[in-house]
Amino acid sequence: MMLRTFTLLLLCIWLNPGMTSLAVESQPELWIESNYPQAPWENITLWCKSPSRVSSKFLLLKDNSQMTWIRPPYKTFQVSFFIGALTESNTGLYRCCYWKEKGWSKPSKILELEAPGQLPKPIFWIQAETPPLPGCNVNIFCHGWLQDLVFMLFKEGYTEPVDYQVPTGTMAIFSIDNLAPENEGVYICRTHIQMLPTLWSEPSNPLKLVVAGLYPKPTLTAHPGPILAPGESLSLRCQGPIYGMTFALMRLEDLKKSFYHKKPIKNEAYFYFQDLKIQDTGHYLCFYYDGSYRGSLLSDILKIWVTDTFPKTWLLVQPSPVIQMGQNVSLRCGGLMDGVGLALYKKGEEKPLQFLDASSNTGNNSFFLKNVTYRDAGIYSCHYYLTWKTSIKMATYNTVELMVVDKPPKPSLSAWPSSVFKVGKTITLQCRVSHPVLEFSLEWEERTTFQKFSVDGDFLITDIEGQGTGTYSCSYRIEAHPNTWSHRSKPLKLVGPAGFLTWNSILNEAVRVSLTMQLASLLLLVVWIRWKCRRLRLREAWLLGTAQGVAMLFILMALLCCGLCNGALTEEIEIVMPTPKPELWAETNFPLAPWKNLTLWCRSPSGSTKEFVLLKDGTGWIATRPASEQVRAAFPLGALTHSHTGSYHCHSWEEMAVSEPSEALELVGTDILPKPVISASLPIRGQELQIRCKGWLEGLGFALYKKGEQEPVQQLGAVGREAFFTIQRMEDKDEGNYSCRTHTEMQPFKWSEPSEPLELVIKEMYPKPFFKTWASPVVTPGSRVTFNCSTSHEHMSFILYKDGNEIASSDLAWGNPGGSTAHFLIISVGIGDGGNYSCRYYDFSIWSEPSNPVELVVTEFYPKPTLLAQPGPVVLPGKNVTLRCQGIFQGMRFALLQEGTHTPLQFQSTSGTSADFLLHTVGAQDFGNYSCVYYETTMSNRGSSLSTPLMIWVTDTFPRPWLSAEPSSVVTMGQNVTLWCQGPVRGVGYILHKEGEATSMQLWGSTSNEGAFPIINISGASIGRYSCCYHPDWMSPIKIQPSNTLELIVTGLLPKPSLLVQPGPMVAPGENVTLQCQGELPDSTFVLLKEGTRQPLEQQRPSGYRADFWMPVVRDQDSGVYSCVYYLDSAPLVASNHSNSLEIWVTDKPPKPSLSAWPSTIFKLGKDITLQCRGPLPGVEFVLEHDGEEAPQQFSEDGDFVIDNLEGKGIGNYSCSYRLQAYPDIWSEPSDTLELVGAAGPVAQECTVGNIVRSTLIVVVVVALGIVLAVEWKKWPRLRTRGSETDGRDQTVVLEECNQEGEPGTTTNSPSSASQEVSVELTVPI
């Protein structure tokens, strides 16, 4: 027992058992103040101070009974208790407490007031900055209760003090630097008043300092080596620098049964194992000691392996198995054994190419090939390399093939959704490669100057006027060689809809031909009956039945054809957006005479505009200007002349697309302003109407005229390039023709020509429809938007408008009973698709009122704004809060959005750069995340990105923040660490408290949701327990809660422990796992850590040297890399080095992966298929197997396998599996089988199930129609013609009945019998 005890590195023994522990507790500070420095007992005041928080109540205790308590008028950190002159009744033991949220705090340290005329007895304790080994520093603290005292440090055996201090406070710190054996001993502390050196306090309780580990650590080596087979012999040598010592050997896995002692041979000892067994595997260490049991430090841990087979090695190539010539390659070899050499082999060569010795094998072992050439290509593998003889069998190993090329390999190019253009549709070309790429390039063979670039490999191709068809290919370049482009992909041809007959087009054409033939056949049948049946005698029932059957079949046929052609009656109408219309205006530097120097500007709402074109009178190219960064271009005209008069408009050009023309700007003379344009929405009786007058120039005045009145109806000053005249309530008297004019701002006015007249007529209208979007109208580019326009009126047609222009329509809604509805769809929203949308409906003669507009805002064009809450984001219920959205540009429109609502809450237009949104009397429904956006209303509602969400809390208590450390709360001495106080409330300051310190670190006005407190160069003073809380910078009665307590642990100061796992590193889900952390010192606290988590998982304080961390019923998320540390109870939070990392896998057997094919499982001519194998575990290697082949098809780390179909060898069934790189012998279950088939030609990939069903029904109906006509034809009566000799009438066609309806046995075959029958002449109406 004594042998284990002397491994303790520091033992601070308190001779008084009642002394406080070394841990810094969360307790207040108590001290004395007096206005009689030479006789402080004449007038005493006790002060109590809270360590980290303000409090509303403080309590003073004497001899463990309540003496008095104080409630200050406001919360504070400290209060005073007046005692007065010290008398016998005042002597005793004093402590104080303060009130926390849930009760009284822990009491302060004990202050002992003895008889009058004596100083209080100081208290004495020790704290180590670093592990108190020889050469380290130790701090000894002495607290004297009074200020301006002299502190003396005495050591047993010395009459004079060994040190003294005169601090300004109530505490002195004595430092012992470079700790040595002579510093051992018993210490006490005393104080006296500076002016009265003869007046001493009582001595403090004694403190004994013992220094252990005075001898240097030995070395432990294995002979012949650390890896041997069962039955072989092993010798472990422990060697130290001092002769005559006794040596001891320990195995950490079983300390009780594996503790060996040896007498030395000079300065070393040998420990023999004659017949090794598997259970001898483990971690060994040794030390030595003298006759007084004073020992050395522990040696480094030596891992001994006893196995009959080497574990399998694996080899990985970085950055890729396909390497460009001249590049460097890293071949990483790994395995389960460390401390063993590795050798790299190349197939075809007997000797190893490179070696890694045992000291460099630490888990990240790489062989390097520099400036590779074609000679370096080949198949590589790695093996364990031993320098001693052993009978261990060498395990299998995987191989990797290294390919050296002059250029990166060619990528694959595919088209989505197909390589055939549809009318109004685009095609996305996808260039793909399996490794990281810097940039992709797309080339068009028909146009040598065409080239597009993309980071993600997607290229959008349109087919306006057939200019998108042709043959394309792509290439790429990588970051390592940005000037070298890869080989081009296989060419891909895009064809137009007219050059390729799809199944749908053939089917639709067949339907049209079938309908035409049926209509023609029916008309011919009717004409034939009309011609032939003038004198027919036939049964009315037969004619009606036949006509009814034919009519029903025709109706059924028509319905089926309509279903095939049109699909569902309630389909979505796709909006084919034209290229957005640009804006045209004029600018001048002569505001009083603009015609002296005029410049026309054209601006596009689309960010992809390449250039602008200005046209005059619709013909003749005036000028072309490239688009600037602001997506606009200037066309200077200079001084106006007669040659400049005319109508101007501009276009914007994009990639293979041209926009609609802008509004026409008309220049009518050399000294006349441009002619304005007037417009207005539909006038509705009793509602407000705005008339827009666009004047083209800034700084003009506007005037509105009505026909029949000489004076202007309304006038507006300089308000920009356009003005809005308002008619508050539209009535019959307001009907008429209106026009507007513009004029210069200063007299004498120069006027423009009147605009074209605008007629306002109030018409009878249906009520406005209900118009909305299915999702939020604030969208990002590429989003899908559906507009829903509905009314309660039946059978209505709908029109969709954007900014007053018609862009889409729907036909009469006959399919649904009840109201009418139309859905307008934008599949992929572009930057220019934003704007004000509305809809109307109409029947044959009456229109509805326009719907309420929906402002569609397309974001991510401008930088995002900032959203702040005033006074703060935490609000009491029933109060008001203002949300300020701060943008960058002036004159924008702002919108406020709340998470979970489809439409914006509020809109505001402002001339400044910000907008304030007021939330009145907030309640629980106002709790949530808010964001805002700003956008310009003149150019397609191009908007900014959404602001960072701001959480509004409606509560009377701040939410509790969370304190964490980055990179971890367990750090090494000298490292930097950042303490993050994180909470959901933004725009609030933070306070960081350290337990035992009165001052706090503050971080004010944080604009994020977390506060950072960096601690540079961690030292012993940084060790401790921390917490934080919010500190709002506004006055608020809302309660504040502290965060969790974080323990900042410093490692690297004690020998590292060992970490083992039982039953093993791979366990099935649901089983129990025990992690055993073995330390070297008793009375320690053990801490379990997991890689990727900032906080320790668990802490334990066992009675022995080992802590068992039990993990019951483990799950998949318990997989990971674990380690542990420990620290002494006598020096809390001063921890050891990290143990070796231990990786744990929670799986009974790796689950089977999934296997999929991209782009499909059908080979196309000249196309490859990529099989994608995906598994749930990281760090694996995939293998692909092909039915009929014995060897695996391919190996891959990312799970992608490229399959070609040369000579039909790619067709067949495939499956894949994977293995863990850490456990290469364990394979997963194979995936489900995936079959690849050959190309079947360009058949019905676009044929839907509905069309197939309808086509089948059409064929059945046509066949049925033919059968019915054939049967009826056979039943047609024979015709007989008689001549009329008596009355000269025309011939009469008599129908002989095919079946006699008379008595049985009556024959109708003879002419006589036929003549006896009653003949009835029937006139057949057609």
Side-chain angles (χ1 to χ4, degrees), residues 80-400:
S80 61
F81 298 89
F82 180 72
I83 302 297
L86 184 62
T87 62
E88 292 293 339
S89 61
N90 295 336
T91 59
L93 303 177
Y94 287 84
R95 292 181 297 172
C96 74
C97 306
Y98 65 93
W99 181 259
K100 299 194 296 183
E101 294 179 358
K102 298 181 179 180
W104 293 103
S105 69
K106 296 180 180 179
S108 65
K109 291 182 172 63
I110 298 176
L111 167 63
E112 185 176 358
L113 295 180
E114 298 180 342
Q118 293 185 1
L119 295 179
K121 181 180 179 179
I123 59 174
F124 199 32
W125 73 95
I126 186 171
Q127 178 179 337
E129 288 187 358
T130 56
L133 302 174
C136 297
N137 301 330
V138 173
N139 291 332
I140 302 176
F141 295 83
C142 184
H143 195 295
W145 306 108
L146 276 166
Q147 296 183 353
D148 300 326
L149 295 178
V150 178
F151 291 79
M152 296 288 185
L153 179 66
F154 292 88
K155 183 180 180 183
E156 186 179 22
Y158 294 83
T159 58
E160 298 296 328
V162 295
D163 196 2
Y164 77 94
Q165 287 190 15
V166 186
T168 58
T170 61
M171 186 172 62
I173 303 176
F174 299 99
S175 296
I176 301 178
D177 299 331
N178 298 321
L179 191 66
E182 55 267 20
N183 296 126
E184 288 186 331
V186 178
Y187 293 84
I188 61 172
C189 171
R190 297 185 70 183
T191 62
H192 70 80
I193 299 176
Q194 296 186 30
M195 305 300 296
L196 296 173
T198 59
L199 182 60
W200 289 83
S201 69
E202 287 292 319
S204 67
N205 292 331
L207 170 68
K208 185 175 181 180
L209 180 64
V210 178
V211 182
L214 298 178
Y215 298 122
K217 67 180 180 181
T219 57
L220 182 64
T221 55
H223 299 278
I227 304 176
L228 295 171
E232 296 181 342
S233 298
L234 172 67
S235 173
L236 296 180
R237 183 181 72 170
C238 186
Q239 185 180 30
I242 303 175
Y243 284 70
M245 296 288 184
T246 302
F247 289 83
L249 178 71
M250 295 183 294
R251 185 165 68 92
L252 298 181
E253 285 74 12
D254 192 0
L255 289 175
K256 295 182 179 180
K257 297 182 180 179
S258 58
F259 207 84
Y260 310 98
H261 308 275
K262 280 285 186 179
K263 292 295 182 181
I265 302 175
K266 297 182 180 179
N267 64 333
E268 61 186 12
Y270 291 87
F271 300 89
Y272 296 99
F273 298 85
Q274 298 295 336
D275 188 9
L276 287 174
K277 299 179 177 57
I278 297 294
Q279 53 267 30
D280 292 325
T281 299
H283 299 78
Y284 291 81
L285 53 83
C286 71
F287 62 92
Y288 57 91
Y289 56 94
D290 58 16
S292 300
Y293 291 98
R294 300 176 63 86
S296 69
L297 298 174
L298 300 177
S299 68
D300 293 332
I301 296 176
L302 177 65
K303 178 66 179 295
I304 299 297
W305 294 79
V306 181
T307 179
D308 53 359
T309 304
F310 275 107
K312 191 173 182 179
T313 60
W314 47 266
L315 189 64
L316 297 176
V317 182
Q318 295 177 346
S320 172
V322 181
I323 300 298
Q324 190 174 349
M325 183 179 295
Q327 201 172 355
N328 297 333
V329 182
S330 171
L331 299 173
R332 182 184 175 190
C333 182
L336 295 180
M337 289 189 175
D338 51 7
V340 187
L342 296 170
L344 179 67
Y345 290 85
K346 182 181 179 183
K347 187 176 182 179
E349 299 185 11
E350 296 181 358
K351 296 183 178 181
L353 298 181
Q354 296 183 27
F355 294 97
L356 287 175
D357 57 17
S359 61
S360 61
N361 184 2
T362 58
N364 186 10
N365 319 296
S366 297
F367 302 96
F368 294 97
L369 301 178
K370 297 182 178 179
N371 298 323
V372 296
T373 63
Y374 290 119
R375 291 179 297 179
D376 295 316
I379 299 175
Y380 290 83
S381 62
C382 75
H383 307 260
Y384 290 111
Y385 182 74
L386 304 182
T387 57
W388 64 92
K389 293 183 178 180
T390 180
S391 60
I392 302 176
K393 299 178 181 179
M394 189 65 66
T396 57
Y397 50 87
N398 76 305
T399 60
V400 295

Side-chain angles (χ1 to χ4, degrees), residues 26 49-55 58 76-78 98-101 993 998 1000 1027 1040-1042:
S26 178
K49 184 176 182 180
S50 167
S52 60
R53 68 181 73 237
V54 294
S55 181
F58 290 82
T76 181
F77 281 98
Q78 60 187 19
Y98 65 93
W99 181 259
K100 299 194 296 183
E101 294 179 358
H993 306 279
S1000 302
S1027 64
I1040 297 176
Q1041 303 182 81

Side-chain angles (χ1 to χ4, degrees), residues 835-1108:
N836 295 329
Y837 288 79
S838 61
C839 75
R840 298 177 69 191
Y841 63 92
Y842 64 95
D843 57 9
F844 297 100
S845 59
I846 302 178
W847 286 75
S848 73
E849 299 176 12
S851 68
N852 293 329
V854 171
E855 298 184 44
L856 183 65
V857 180
V858 183
T859 61
E860 300 183 359
F861 188 81
Y862 292 111
K864 68 179 180 181
T866 302
L867 186 62
L868 300 176
Q870 297 174 349
V874 183
V875 192
L876 285 172
K879 299 295 183 179
N880 298 337
V881 63
T882 300
L883 301 183
R884 168 163 289 186
C885 187
Q886 180 67 51
I888 300 176
F889 304 101
Q890 294 183 347
M892 293 289 184
R893 184 168 171 82
F894 291 80
L896 178 68
L897 301 96
Q898 183 181 11
E899 186 177 320
T901 59
H902 290 315
T903 58
L905 299 181
Q906 299 181 34
F907 290 94
Q908 273 197 34
S909 297
T910 177
S911 58
T913 59
S914 64
D916 292 339
F917 300 97
L918 180 62
L919 301 181
H920 293 275
T921 316
V922 295
Q925 69 278 5
D926 298 308
F927 172 86
N929 277 317
Y930 291 79
S931 59
C932 70
V933 65
Y934 63 88
Y935 57 96
E936 55 178 343
T937 58
T938 58
M939 295 298 293
S940 297
N941 288 6
R942 296 186 302 191
S944 67
S945 299
L946 289 177
S947 67
T948 302
L950 174 65
M951 175 71 79
I952 297 297
W953 300 80
V954 183
T955 178
D956 59 354
T957 304
F958 270 90
R960 187 184 300 272
W962 178 260
L963 184 62
S964 61
E966 186 181 5
S968 173
S969 61
V970 182
V971 294
T972 58
M973 181 70 71
Q975 188 178 353
N976 300 334
V977 67
T978 300
L979 301 185
W980 290 95
C981 189
Q982 300 171 316
V985 182
R986 295 177 56 245
V988 184
Y990 297 90
I991 293 181
L992 180 68
H993 306 279
K994 182 183 179 185
E995 192 175 284
E997 291 189 1
T999 59
S1000 302
M1001 299 175 61
Q1002 296 184 4
L1003 180 64
W1004 292 88
S1006 175
T1007 56
S1008 67
N1009 60 344
E1010 51 191 27
F1013 298 91
I1015 301 178
I1016 308 300
N1017 193 12
I1018 289 289
S1019 64
S1022 306
I1023 302 173
R1025 295 177 175 88
Y1026 293 82
S1027 64
C1028 70
C1029 64
Y1030 288 111
H1031 194 284
D1033 50 3
W1034 72 91
M1035 297 299 296
S1036 174
I1038 303 175
K1039 299 178 183 178
I1040 297 176
Q1041 303 182 81
S1043 71
N1044 60 299
T1045 300
L1046 181 138
E1047 293 184 344
L1048 189 60
I1049 301 174
V1050 178
T1051 64
L1053 307 177
L1054 297 174
K1056 69 179 181 179
S1058 62
L1059 183 62
L1060 300 175
V1061 60
Q1062 298 293 340
M1066 180 175 291
V1067 294
E1071 293 186 1
N1072 300 333
V1073 173
T1074 300
L1075 297 176
Q1076 298 175 343
C1077 185
Q1078 177 72 46
E1080 301 182 7
L1081 304 174
D1083 301 328
S1084 301
T1085 298
F1086 292 82
V1087 182
L1088 181 64
L1089 308 171
K1090 184 180 179 182
E1091 188 176 294
T1093 59
R1094 296 182 179 181
Q1095 302 281 50
L1097 297 183
E1098 188 180 347
Q1099 294 189 14
Q1100 282 191 22
R1101 188 188 180 282
S1103 58
Y1105 292 79
R1106 187 180 77 188
D1108 293 339

